[in-house]
Amino acid sequence: MQTKELARSSAQQASASLDHALHIVAGVLVVALLSTVTAGIVSRGVRHPLSWTDELSGFLMVWLACAGWMIATRRNAHIRIRFFQDLLPDTARRGFEVLIQVGVALLGTIVAWKSIHLMQTNSDVEAVSLPIATAWMYVPLFPAGVLTAMQALSEIMAILKGRDTRGPTPMPGPVA
Amino acid sequence: MIGLMIKVSGAWLAVILAGMPLYVSMGLAALAMLWLGGMPVTVLPQKMAGSMNSFPIIAAPLFILMGNILAAAQVTDRIVAFASAAIGWVRGGYAHASILTSMIFAGMVGSAVADAAGSGAIEVRAMTKAGYRPETAASITAAAATIGPIIPPSLPMVIYGITADVSIGRLFMAGVIPGILMGLSLMVMVALIAKREGMTGKPFVGWCALAQSFRDCFFAIMTPAVILGGMFSGYFTPTEAAAVACLYALFLGFVVYRTLEVRQLGPILVETAETTGLVMVLVMAASALGWCMSISRLPQTLAPMIVATISSPIMFLLMANVLMLIVGCFMEALAAMLILIPILVPAAIGFGIDPVQFGVIMVLNLILGTIHPPIGVVLFVVTRIAGVSFETMSRAILPWLIPLLVVLLAISIWPPLTLWLPSVLTGK
């Protein structure tokens, strides 16, 4: 019993640490993106345009999108239509949710797995204006895919253990 | 290949309705297309990352950041005070002030939800205190919030511009007149029903107080001028304008109004990243699916079919409006846009309709879905604020859709309403 509680407590701590680390990385990426775009404007304004700002901001955008994807996954906030699923009886709803989470896990696994292939094939292709390989653009897809798959598997485990699967209410439409 | 695409699309819509997260459903549909079509699956992550590695799309997180900074800096209170002082004294003045607030706020945030959540609480409270029925107050707030994504800056327009390969600057300018018309049409509606509903105004505060309230919010009101002025004077691209607007918002919060604290920056940055992730993962998956669609030549086949079947551009626009309004009722605006753009935009171009005009029509259509049941997210927000039931709100909002639908019809049948301003400012 004590071992189980210890394991649960460790898992919760690891989960909180992961969230904290994700928040720090995401915050840094937002600041870096704003700074890079601003550097492009300022350097052009003083007639010494920097050649690398557009390309770096493109790379940062990929990283930020993936970091945001991971945060939204952790918060169970991705946009989905629950209207029809909620009309189902409890057992059917849970069954559907397991199938949905299998789909989520499949997508996450494939994105993570194939991103390794992309990193390998682009490892010797240098970026145009930056002294780095274009493989760096594909790096954040790996943790994003792994986290998506892991989260889905954890949801499946929870459903099979009988936990309510509705989770927190998703955020309202972000661009609406 | 087209047959395969149609089968995959059918299964994809089924899993969307079954409750699968939209980005997952799009990603799996793309995956199925690649796998069944004998193409390398590596294309999926490649297209996902490639869609983000683009300079114009960076405008999206930066506009989200600007909106979050302005919301945290509490500029809303000042705008509400100014709008009340300026127009609150006429019959139905609180309602008019609410609409004017939304029009001004629309120039600072590009989202109806942000508008409703940001200024909604103050507006609804003021109206109910003045004796308005809570559902009427909430309906006016919700209807006015739809102006948010029409008047620039607008997040849906950034996404449309990138997906449909249309100038974001021209789209922004094209939204100005329709946005103003939406506000005016709602004000006409208020004027028509104010007497019957017993909507009151408040005494005129005097010219000095009006001038003071204007001074208090002057720098906030200047936000759209910074964005649009920079873009159309040729100093910035839309992405750079978004970055400058973020710096301007920080300047307002820390220096001008001093309402922002350093400790608020952490949550602002994380919230920006999360919203960016929610939006961008959809764009990433839609980009992979869009690539599969173009490989299958689905849009290229469907567009001529649509053009051959429908007799005139006006008929096409009316039918597209009905389709988009129905889709908007059941699907989140961004997702619906990403699904419909590859099918409808080529057809619109086939009819000789300017994609800029069609973009404004599409955004307005889908935004109307946010104040309409069953998935009206703005309706959910104002329902919570006003403390009325969703069923009551679903009925109360219906009359307020009429003026907005009139504007939609007007911009559909008379292109100068959207295209005149961009052509004057850009000379194209």
Side-chain angles (χ1 to χ4, degrees), chain A residues 13 22 38 40 52 57 70 87 102 104 111 117 121:
Chain A
Q13 270 183 2
L22 261 177
T38 308
W52 47 265
S57 50
M70 288 191 272
L87 297 176
V102 169
V104 177
V111 167
H117 176 68
T121 49

Side-chain angles (χ1 to χ4, degrees), chain A residues 41-42 44, chain B residues 55 225-245:
Chain A
I41 306 168
V42 173
R44 203 179 56 228
Chain B
F55 195 66
V226 170
I227 297 168
L228 297 178
M231 272 165 57
F232 288 97
S233 60
Y235 281 112
F236 321 128
T237 62
T239 304
E240 291 171 343
V244 172

